[in-house]
Amino acid sequence: MSHTAHPIPSVRLYVTIWITLGVLTGLTVLAGYQDFGFANTVIALAIAVTKASLVVLFFMGVRHNTPLTKVTAIAGFVWLFILFGLGMSDYLTRHWIGVPGR
Amino acid sequence: MAEPSTPLGPGPLPAAPHGAAVAVDHAHHHPRLQHHFYSMEQQLEASILAMWVFLVTEIMFFGGLFMAYLVYRTLYPQSWLDGSSTLNVPLGALNTFVLICSSLTMVMSVRSAQVGSRRGQIVWLIGTILFGTTFLVVKYFEYAAKFEHNLVPGPHFSTAYIVEHLGRTGVDPHSTQLFFSLYFIMTGIHAAHMVVGIGLMTVILIMAWRGRFTPDYYGPIEVSGLYWHFVDIVWIFLFPLLYLLGLHGGHGA
Amino acid sequence: MHDTAIKRQSYLDAPYGIAAWLLTRDHKRIAMMYLISITVMFAMGGFFASLVRLELLTPRGDLLTPDLYNKAFSLHGIIMVFFFLVPSVPATLGNFLIPIMCGTKDLAFPRINLISWYLYIIGALIALGVIASGGVDTGWTFYTPYSTVGSQTPVTAAIIGVFIAGFSSILTGFNFIVTVHRMRAPGLTWFRLPLFVWANYATSLVMILGTPVVAITVLLVGFERTLGLGVFDPRLGGDPVLFQHLFWFYSHPAVYIMILPGMGVISELVAGVSRKQVFGYSFVAFSSLAIAILGFLVWGHHLFVSSQSIYAGMVFSIITMLVAVPSAVKTFNWTVTMYKGSVTWESPTYWVIGFVGLFLIGGLTGLFLATLGLDIHLTDTYFVVAHFHYIMVGGMVMAFLGGLHFWWPKMTGRLYPDGFGKAGAILVFTGFNLTFGPQFILGYMGMPRRYHAYPDEWQVLNVLSTAGASILGLGYLLIFCYLTWSLFKGERASDNPWGVTGLEWETTSPPPTFNFYTDPIVTEPPYHYKQPVPGREATTIG
């Protein structure tokens, strides 16, 4: 699969993505000023993930890349979740044992 | 990127046997094709894959910091709110937008190479460098403010600013320092990556000025762009996680 | 005539001169430069091990002060892990063989390969500088808060050395990944690749995904020491166990970085000495990937007795048992490969058998440690020390030496006297078992690791261990001597002195700079031996 075989993205596409990213930034700031309780974090992360995906797919061109490159990109984030997930499994379950001081 | 390297010994390359996937013909191959690759396409794909593999290492590098953030925010949510409330949201948002603009100028410069516009490459690369520098300047002012308000962890740290100027109560002088340690380290390492990125773009700019990049050879500028966008993505996550926590003044998670 | 033709074209001879070596992009030359460098570091690490073993000859701490002893075992660990084991097979045999086994002229990024060597050298020089200024006493594990606020030794410098060496390994790994994916010769599908390539590919995945985490972790220790930015400081509410989580997230997979390439070597040697296709090739290939992936899910077994949650401990314990399975698959398959193969008794065979037996013991003892209840008793004792040395030395070092003996004719164009090769293997095997076998017993009886004094009743076992270490050292010295001798006086090797399959054996010994005279096209699976013929004359050399 050739990278050069795909049509070069248009300026309009890039500008659209740029505007979208700007709007999402504004949105995340606005949402930050509201009190949604725990949902604040969820919303902030959801917007961040969306922005990051737009950059990865369109600005970094992963849309056009080989499946191998796509797997590589995804693998990095999956590994991050292994670190977060298994690591937090310690901190979140420490108090289950009910021993004083633990 | 430099003159093609020759890991070969003396003598001409032997002709590939009949039926081989690709025949290498010295007379016609691109001057930028390195000898151990058999086509420009293979070289470009290898370079893109290589940069992504490197970016995976960067994801894990920052990942360790995000892990520390995750642990301590879970353990000390109040300190996280207190610390975050001292950060300048308008400046942070401006910086986020500045980086987004720099990503746009970055893709535009790659695109200019792809369509063969030398002038376009130069203009957009200069734009990228300018936006990157702006980011760093804003960061400098933010850091200066922290020093001024005695919010740098260590012997001079004081919660006075948080208590007196922001009216927050019950601020823990110990765990709040954890927030600021992570703030400085995470944004500092990010800024260091920006500095490297600006250096990289300067090199690319010089190469673009010399007309190195053409529609069939733009690997270095594309691959450098990937690095630049990655640094932007890290900030996309840093901004909400560091700046937007204590905004509503509530006691959210 | 043919002889002079080889000399003119060999990668060793052309181009000539020191600058041509120091600025080379030839993966084979870089491999040889790495070989020299890691041998120097191995000697350094061995020196500190001998200090430890000498001290432990007597129950009292009478040779070294406690501080010096702490530095001795710390430096032994740091050097052996970061500057010997991690680069050992990948940077030497891997760099040399992977492009050739892929049928191509070089790795994907030859200049980055050279940079990785320079980074290694810089890291090693920093480590040597740390040693010269007194060394560090934190253990190779740099646990906080001792490494951040307690130790008065040059920890920051040591960290920088480790960081740079880690970056060097990342560059090696990333080069391998791109090469194996994008530069295989025509016809060379994944399932025609030698298992050595699969193993190094899996290792490279671990290097890429794990090393950056230890990089940032040691950097955080450095920031805390130099800038006072406390992240692990308990006085601020920081958690020293967080350091352990982040450190072991890399350091457990690191042990797979250290052993997987050795397993790759053994796969090649087993097929070669048995003249037979490796039994269950695809199982062995996939087991390398399984080990690489599962290896990331078990790091908490180093934290069983820290304040880590018991429930997380249970999860880590179960997954640790699981990660033994792919290793067992490999061991089983290697053994079955040799069964009814036409095995010849040359020195590589000795290394293979030594590896399989010792790796088995090392692996099985890991299961004891993975069991939560048992680990309470065994953790931080000599049982752990014996366990990991069985894998790292009995396994990895023997695999490395075995690979060196197997591919020595290819890399240098010289043969060593096979009698010495066998003697070296026997000395190392004997010395090794005498050194570390008693340590299992010592650990079970409760002797803690990192202590320079112990009760009198353990002296006999310690003396045996030190005696074994002397024999082991002699073995290494013998090997170094005859291999170096062979460079000058050894008989010249033919293209394929062992009579085995593989792309590397289809080119000259040593290969030309561009690896092949005609670009290979692969049409057969690896290890495509004809059925073993009963009564076949064994091939011997020397």
Side-chain angles (χ1 to χ4, degrees):
Chain A
M1 243 212 269
S2 162
H3 185 86
T4 52
H6 292 274
I8 297 166
S10 66
V11 178
R12 164 195 283 247
L13 174 68
Y14 285 149
V15 171
T16 311
I17 300 295
W18 170 63
I19 292 173
T20 312
L21 288 170
V23 165
L24 286 172
T25 306
L27 205 62
T28 198
V29 173
L30 277 177
Y33 279 106
Q34 315 305 315
D35 187 352
F36 297 121
F38 183 73
N40 270 98
T41 311
V42 176
I43 293 171
L45 282 176
I47 295 177
V49 167
T50 309
K51 288 163 76 179
S53 308
L54 288 173
V55 173
V56 167
L57 287 170
F58 294 98
F59 281 177
M60 296 172 89
V62 168
R63 257 191 330 154
H64 301 310
N65 284 151
T66 59
L68 176 62
T69 306
K70 291 174 180 158
V71 166
T72 308
I74 292 171
F77 292 103
V78 168
W79 247 254
L80 212 50
F81 292 127
I82 293 177
L83 174 61
F84 294 164
L86 270 179
M88 287 307 289
S89 77
D90 170 22
Y91 289 94
L92 294 175
T93 61
R94 279 187 187 181
H95 62 277
W96 286 6
I97 198 160
V99 171
R102 274 186 153 257
Chain B
M1 291 184 207
E3 289 306 300
S5 62
T6 37
L8 305 180
L13 258 184
H18 178 74
V22 177
V24 177
D25 185 345
H26 261 257
H28 294 301
H29 81 152
H30 196 283
R32 295 278 161 238
L33 179 65
Q34 298 190 21
H35 274 77
H36 51 285
F37 288 113
Y38 61 73
S39 75
M40 291 301 283
E41 189 184 308
Q42 186 201 31
Q43 181 172 278
L44 179 63
E45 278 182 5
S47 307
I48 291 175
L49 176 63
M51 180 48 84
W52 267 107
V53 172
F54 176 70
L55 292 180
V56 166
T57 69
E58 292 278 35
I59 292 173
M60 297 310 291
F61 187 71
F62 280 98
L65 291 173
F66 281 99
M67 177 67 190
Y69 172 98
L70 183 56
V71 169
Y72 289 137
R73 179 169 164 182
T74 309
L75 293 177
Y76 307 111
Q78 189 58 41
S79 296
W80 246 241
L81 293 177
D82 294 334
S84 172
S85 64
T86 67
L87 300 184
N88 189 324
V89 174
L91 279 185
L94 170 70
N95 255 357
T96 310
F97 188 65
V98 162
L99 279 191
I100 289 170
C101 293
S102 77
S103 275
L104 176 66
T105 53
M106 188 67 233
V107 292
M108 289 305 293
S109 74
V110 175
R111 189 177 182 284
S112 301
Q114 287 172 321
V115 300
S117 161
R118 177 174 163 272
R119 189 174 166 278
Q121 292 169 48
I122 293 169
V123 164
W124 293 116
L125 278 171
I126 291 177
T128 309
I129 292 172
L130 284 176
F131 280 121
T133 313
T134 307
F135 178 91
L136 290 175
V137 168
V138 171
K139 261 262 115 337
Y140 168 78
F141 284 113
E142 289 187 85
Y143 276 16
K146 295 288 161 301
F147 275 86
E148 205 182 295
H149 300 144
N150 291 319
L151 291 173
V152 178
H156 304 295
F157 182 83
S158 160
T159 55
Y161 179 80
I162 307 175
V163 172
E164 288 155 28
H165 288 253
L166 301 174
R168 300 184 80 93
T169 54
V171 180
D172 184 338
H174 302 297
S175 50
T176 318
Q177 288 191 61
L178 288 175
F179 174 86
F180 283 105
S181 289
L182 278 176
Y183 166 77
F184 278 108
I185 293 174
M186 291 172 96
T187 57
I189 291 185
H190 176 263
H193 280 78
M194 280 300 303
V195 170
V196 169
I198 291 173
L200 191 60
M201 288 312 152
T202 309
V203 170
I204 296 289
L205 176 62
I206 293 172
M207 291 166 73
W209 180 274
R210 292 186 181 157
R212 275 292 181 77
F213 305 125
T214 59
D216 45 49
Y217 176 68
Y218 56 87
I221 191 173
E222 165 142 23
V223 152
S224 305
L226 292 180
Y227 175 83
W228 188 269
H229 294 304
F230 175 76
V231 179
D232 182 13
I233 289 176
V234 174
W235 184 259
I236 283 175
F237 284 97
L238 282 182
F239 171 61
L241 290 176
L242 290 173
Y243 287 75
L244 299 182
L245 296 180
L247 278 186
H248 45 78
H251 304 284
Chain C
M1 188 69 149
H2 183 61
D3 201 37
T4 26
I6 290 176
K7 263 204 276 204
R8 192 176 67 233
Q9 297 277 19
S10 146
Y11 81 97
L12 286 171
D13 297 319
Y16 189 76
I18 285 276
W21 278 81
L22 291 179
L23 296 175
T24 186
R25 283 153 202 176
D26 181 359
H27 63 101
K28 300 181 290 300
R29 289 191 161 191
I30 294 171
M32 297 314 267
M33 296 196 298
Y34 259 114
L35 182 59
I36 296 170
S37 321
I38 67 171
T39 305
V40 171
M41 295 310 275
F42 182 74
M44 195 89 243
F47 166 72
F48 289 111
S50 21
L51 285 183
V52 169
R53 283 303 342 150
L54 280 172
E55 169 66 271
L56 291 176
L57 267 176
T58 59
R60 262 148 289 291
D62 40 19
L63 182 66
L64 305 170
T65 63
D67 275 337
L68 271 179
Y69 186 79
N70 290 344
K71 291 176 181 180
F73 68 70
S74 301
L75 291 170
H76 168 70
I78 292 170
I79 293 173
M80 287 307 203
V81 169
F82 295 112
F83 294 96
F84 175 70
L85 283 166
V86 166
S88 60
V89 168
T92 58
L93 297 172
N95 260 334
F96 196 98
L97 294 167
I98 287 182
I100 299 180
M101 289 180 170
C102 289
T104 183
K105 297 182 185 58
D106 208 315
L107 290 176
F109 304 103
R111 279 173 297 189
I112 290 189
N113 201 9
L114 183 65
I115 290 173
S116 91
W117 181 73
Y118 275 107
L119 286 177
Y120 173 85
I121 293 296
I122 293 171
L125 286 173
I126 294 176
L128 292 172
V130 165
I131 293 169
S133 52
V136 291
D137 60 355
T138 56
W140 80 275
T141 49
F142 295 108
Y143 273 18
T144 59
Y146 185 65
S147 61
T148 45
V149 296
S151 177
Q152 303 304 310
T153 57
V155 174
T156 308
I159 279 170
I160 293 173
V162 165
F163 183 93
I164 293 176
F167 198 65
S168 159
S169 71
I170 285 178
L171 293 182
T172 302
F174 123 130
N175 227 337
F176 286 177
I177 291 175
V178 179
T179 305
V180 174
H181 273 291
R182 289 274 169 250
M183 294 181 67
R184 299 189 308 276
L188 190 49
T189 58
W190 278 88
F191 288 101
R192 289 180 180 165
L193 280 171
L195 290 167
F196 181 77
V197 179
W198 278 94
N200 278 279
Y201 174 77
T203 306
S204 305
L205 292 179
V206 181
M207 281 172 171
I208 293 296
L209 291 164
T211 316
V213 178
V214 80
I216 188 65
T217 308
V218 297
L219 225 56
L220 287 175
V221 172
F223 287 141
E224 199 168 321
R225 277 183 81 84
T226 54
L227 301 174
L229 291 173
V231 174
F232 305 116
D233 190 346
R235 294 172 297 192
L236 298 179
D239 187 9
V241 173
L242 175 62
F243 171 85
Q244 294 185 30
H245 273 296
L246 291 172
F247 177 81
W248 287 109
F249 181 84
Y250 161 74
S251 299
H252 188 83
V255 315
Y256 298 110
I257 291 176
M258 295 188 261
I259 193 64
L260 272 170
M263 291 171 160
V265 168
I266 295 299
S267 293
E268 296 303 314
L269 265 57
V270 154
V273 307
S274 317
R275 309 298 193 281
K276 196 167 162 242
Q277 160 71 286
V278 174
F279 179 82
Y281 166 92
S282 46
F283 276 85
V284 178
F286 285 125
S287 69
S288 290
L289 295 179
I291 291 172
I293 295 171
L294 285 175
F296 273 97
L297 305 178
V298 301
W299 80 86
H301 66 230
H302 299 271
L303 280 73
F304 281 160
V305 301
S306 71
S307 60
Q308 175 180 262
S309 150
I310 290 286
Y311 299 98
M314 290 177 193
V315 171
F316 282 119
S317 172
I318 294 174
I319 306 179
T320 306
M321 306 276 181
L322 281 180
V323 80
V325 171
S327 298
V329 164
K330 282 183 193 270
T331 313
F332 179 76
N333 286 12
W334 291 322
T335 313
V336 173
T337 304
M338 295 185 78
Y339 177 66
K340 292 207 173 155
S342 46
V343 177
T344 50
W345 286 94
E346 296 144 316
S347 29
T349 314
Y350 287 65
W351 295 106
V352 165
I353 293 178
F355 176 96
V356 173
L358 299 178
F359 175 71
L360 185 65
I361 295 173
L364 290 176
T365 52
L367 293 174
F368 286 74
L369 294 166
T371 311
L372 282 167
L374 274 176
D375 191 64
I376 308 276
H377 176 63
L378 296 171
T379 199
D380 275 340
T381 65
Y382 263 85
F383 194 93
V384 179
V385 175
H387 158 71
F388 66 70
H389 280 93
Y390 261 79
I391 311 249
M392 288 303 136
V393 184
M396 187 54 192
V397 174
M398 290 197 79
F400 173 69
L401 291 172
L404 215 54
H405 281 72
F406 186 64
W407 281 294
W408 190 260
K410 179 55 55 183
M411 298 194 301
T412 62
R414 300 281 186 159
L415 299 171
Y416 51 85
D418 202 56
F420 276 96
K422 293 172 184 165
I426 292 174
L427 265 180
V428 166
F429 182 84
T430 310
F432 169 81
N433 277 300
L434 192 56
T435 312
F436 294 104
Q439 291 183 7
F440 278 124
I441 304 172
L442 282 168
Y444 170 71
M445 292 199 295
M447 179 171 172
R449 62 188 288 198
R450 298 175 167 171
Y451 275 47
H452 72 323
Y454 54 83
D456 290 343
E457 56 261 35
W458 291 337
Q459 183 171 22
V460 173
L461 288 169
N462 272 293
V463 169
L464 282 175
S465 182
T466 303
S470 320
I471 298 174
L472 187 56
L474 274 172
Y476 292 143
L477 197 57
L478 179 68
I479 292 168
F480 178 79
C481 287
Y482 66 73
L483 285 181
T484 310
W485 176 89
S486 78
L487 289 175
F488 304 101
K489 302 281 199 203
E491 193 187 318
R492 293 214 178 257
S494 62
D495 291 357
N496 192 354
W498 307 109
V500 294
T501 64
L503 279 178
E504 72 272 28
W505 304 105
E506 292 173 22
T507 184
T508 55
S509 303
T513 307
F514 40 88
N515 293 341
F516 297 99
Y517 284 93
T518 48
D519 289 342
I521 298 186
V522 178
T523 52
E524 287 179 294
Y527 324 117
H528 47 274
Y529 293 97
K530 312 266 181 292
Q531 284 306 303
V533 176
R536 183 187 66 86
E537 204 64 63
T539 311
T540 50
I541 56 151

